Amino acid sequence: MNCKITGKKIKPFMSFGKMPIANGFLKKKDFKNEFFFEMEVGFSKEISLFQLNNHPNPKLMFNKNYPFFTGSSKVMVKHFANYAKWIKNNYFNHTKNLIEIGSNDGTFLKNFNSNKIKNIGFEPSKNVADIATKNGVKTINKFFNYKNVSKLKNLKNKTDIICAANAICHVPNLKDLIYGIDFLLNKNGVFIFEEPYLGSMFKKVSYDQIYDEHIFMFSGTAVKKIFDLFDMELIDLIKQPTHGGSMRYVVARKGQRDRSKSLSNILDEEKLNNLDNYKFCEQFKMNCENSRHRLKKLLKNFKKDGKKIAGYAATSKSTTVLNYCKIGTDIIDYICDTTDEKINKYSPGMHIPIAPIKHFRENVPDIAYLFAWNHKQEIFNKEKEFISKKGKWISHVDL
Ligand code: DWN
């Protein structure tokens, strides 16, 4: 395995076994042709970058049937409104244009429609890009890469702000993406992005953040080291509560902007937690194996006691948990979800049926495995009746 940035050899430190496409919810007739890859992870010592070894071709994941819509969570819609407000308060200064990488259904960019700025989203998945367009968000239905970006000649070194959320960790050719940013960004421009945070994944043992789409799990240390290689620099880090613990990163051209005071505090904290070195990997591997062991034991005991177990929210993350721990229909009867594109299909790899939320309310299980543990508050608020019926929520992370 080679580091996707430095090209140096890396020895994978653990494998989660054979994994299907995390969002590849499928019909029974497609079981026999299901795609699997060996999901190994490694860590680049030079730039402290946690990364997948193999990954499927991005076109297998981001196409006309991508089944995730940012607008499906009210809490996330509010978060994106606040993210936009924060950008306006901190970085709007004669701003004329803004580009989002991985703009999904336009939930974030919609917040800029009332400003007199040009905003454009790059979104490779056609179905979600079409929704954004319908929402009045100008969307280019393409991957954000150097080839596509360099066609925007009128924006060359004229772009004020490039931003993203839960998108940059999905891009295997990160170097090429940075060349694209370098092409567009003006001298004083900023690149702002937020992603699930390595430190939170480590603390919570939320290994389900790792799947085909999540090629990288970033830390402040890694992002700093990456951009140092491209004559850019990390100027701010802000922790975010979203997706079980994320980090917002602000990057500028070297020497063009002041660095925030909190930057060094977070980098020091990462050093203390060994997020900058290989010790972290050894500990993380052990923690994942222990978590799997505990979960399997817990589920086995519930089944021994005759309990009915259902899954709640057919997340991409659930694909990692179910396949790594080999949890199938012998344990979980069904998984309920709000997404039409997933309902009446089966979960990738372990083939658990996906049902609408109505089914959960009409077929109340004893135990609900909360796969969207990151949306705990939003879901608990909707499912008060489940608790009143003596239902129990469980997850592999602390709820
Ligand atoms: O980075 C990514 C994140 C942002 O979204 C992508 N790679 C794919 C996706 O990951 P995920 O599927 O793990 O995301 P969520 O937001 O944790 O879960 C979304 C799923 O949960 C959807 O299928 C809808 C479902 N859901 C539900 O059934 N009821 C979600 C909420 C909030 C609910 O109340």
Side-chain angles (χ1 to χ4, degrees):
M1 148 177 201
N2 294 78
C3 170
K4 290 171 184 58
I5 292 283
T6 65
K8 295 227 170 97
K9 269 240 150 347
I10 304 178
K11 202 166 157 253
F13 70 86
M14 83 174 280
S15 172
F16 289 88
K18 291 259 178 286
M19 284 287 158
I21 299 289
N23 264 317
F25 294 85
L26 70 176
K27 297 244 167 75
K28 230 180 211 161
K29 68 172 176 50
D30 297 320
F31 286 178
K32 56 182 184 307
N33 295 323
E34 195 169 8
F35 174 92
F36 287 89
F37 73 106
E38 179 78 25
M39 197 167 83
E40 291 177 317
V41 288
F43 188 79
S44 156
K45 286 184 185 155
E46 287 80 17
I47 55 168
S48 311
L49 181 59
F50 183 100
Q51 51 194 289
L52 283 190
N53 178 11
N54 286 321
H55 57 85
N57 183 330
K59 287 184 184 153
L60 271 179
M61 303 175 260
F62 309 110
N63 46 45
K64 61 182 185 346
N65 299 315
Y66 189 58
F68 174 77
F69 305 85
T70 306
S72 66
S73 157
K74 285 203 177 103
V75 171
M76 288 308 292
V77 172
K78 203 160 156 208
H79 170 75
F80 283 115
N82 288 333
Y83 182 14
K85 207 187 277 168
W86 181 88
I87 291 181
K88 288 178 201 172
N89 288 342
N90 289 280
Y91 289 99
F92 263 32
N93 185 15
H94 306 297
T95 298
K96 289 193 200 66
N97 52 48
L98 175 147
I99 290 183
E100 186 188 4
I101 304 174
S103 46
N104 197 274
D105 57 10
T107 296
F108 173 63
L109 282 184
K110 253 195 308 194
N111 295 293
F112 295 97
N113 276 356
S114 57
N115 294 82
K116 284 198 173 60
I117 62 158
K118 192 177 193 175
N119 62 70
I120 308 173
F122 271 83
E123 173 50 57
S125 305
K126 181 153 183 1
N127 59 329
V128 284
D130 284 350
I131 296 177
T133 306
K134 259 192 222 139
N135 284 337
V137 171
K138 181 159 187 217
T139 306
I140 299 177
N141 178 214
K142 285 194 174 129
F143 284 100
F144 181 101
N145 54 31
Y146 187 80
K147 184 170 160 247
N148 293 332
V149 157
S150 57
K151 287 181 186 142
L152 302 176
K153 295 213 166 44
N154 54 338
L155 284 176
K156 183 172 192 290
N157 294 142
K158 289 208 169 68
T159 310
D160 301 303
I161 300 174
I162 302 176
C163 48
N166 309 307
I168 305 307
C169 71
H170 296 64
V171 181
N173 196 346
L174 197 52
K175 267 165 89 165
D176 181 72
L177 176 129
I178 298 172
Y179 293 141
I181 290 169
D182 184 44
F183 176 88
L184 289 173
L185 216 54
N186 68 26
K187 194 173 164 209
N188 200 33
V190 281
F191 171 42
I192 308 170
F193 62 108
E194 50 181 57
E195 308 284 317
Y197 178 49
L198 184 78
S200 307
M201 179 178 84
F202 181 51
K203 202 162 151 201
K204 296 192 163 138
V205 199
S206 46
Y207 60 83
D208 51 339
Q209 289 289 7
I210 307 164
Y211 50 91
D212 52 6
E213 295 180 18
H214 287 185
I215 311 276
F216 302 103
M217 200 50 64
F218 295 116
S219 63
T221 310
V223 170
K224 180 180 182 315
K225 289 182 180 176
I226 293 168
F227 284 93
D228 275 350
L229 299 171
F230 295 87
D231 221 22
M232 294 186 199
E233 65 178 327
L234 178 65
I235 58 163
D236 203 2
L237 283 175
I238 304 120
K239 289 186 183 175
Q240 301 296 318
T242 45
H243 290 298
S246 298
M247 185 69 83
R248 183 176 295 164
Y249 305 90
V250 185
V251 171
R253 293 195 185 276
K254 210 161 260 173
Q256 291 303 317
R257 282 178 178 263
D258 293 339
R259 289 190 212 143
S260 86
K261 292 196 182 77
S262 60
L263 186 71
S264 55
N265 292 344
I266 295 184
L267 294 177
D268 288 349
E269 186 186 301
E270 290 185 353
K271 247 197 186 89
L272 262 177
N273 291 324
N274 287 318
L275 296 185
D276 62 334
N277 71 71
Y278 199 74
K279 266 194 220 151
F280 146 81
C281 304
E282 286 159 359
Q283 188 62 51
F284 180 66
K285 179 173 188 245
M286 217 159 70
N287 294 349
C288 291
E289 287 166 0
N290 289 340
S291 167
R292 171 169 66 173
H293 179 72
R294 271 198 310 275
L295 177 63
K296 290 195 77 146
K297 203 164 140 194
L298 178 76
L299 294 171
K300 209 168 137 196
N301 286 339
F302 281 141
K303 289 316 277 182
K304 232 190 335 199
D305 294 343
K307 303 283 189 210
K308 273 198 157 322
I309 311 176
Y312 198 104
T315 58
S316 328
K317 296 185 287 295
S318 68
T319 298
T320 299
V321 180
L322 296 169
N323 287 277
Y324 176 54
C325 302
K326 299 273 171 296
I327 300 166
T329 45
D330 51 332
I331 297 176
I332 293 188
D333 298 341
Y334 64 88
I335 305 172
C336 66
D337 196 276
T338 51
T339 316
D340 288 343
E341 285 75 359
K342 296 180 184 176
I343 292 166
N344 295 329
K345 290 188 178 162
Y346 292 84
S347 73
M350 297 312 290
H351 302 160
I352 300 172
I354 312 299
I357 302 291
K358 189 168 145 260
H359 186 80
F360 174 80
R361 293 178 187 155
E362 289 168 357
N363 300 271
V364 182
D366 302 298
I367 316 283
Y369 194 125
L370 184 60
F371 288 117
W373 50 269
N374 46 313
H375 297 304
K376 171 177 116 171
Q377 224 38 66
E378 184 168 359
I379 292 173
F380 284 5
N381 285 343
K382 285 191 227 173
E383 302 299 343
K384 289 195 179 112
E385 221 180 306
F386 175 60
I387 302 284
S388 72
K389 286 181 177 159
K390 304 252 176 308
K392 185 179 163 66
W393 292 103
I394 60 160
S395 169
H396 59 292
V397 298
D398 289 339
L399 289 179

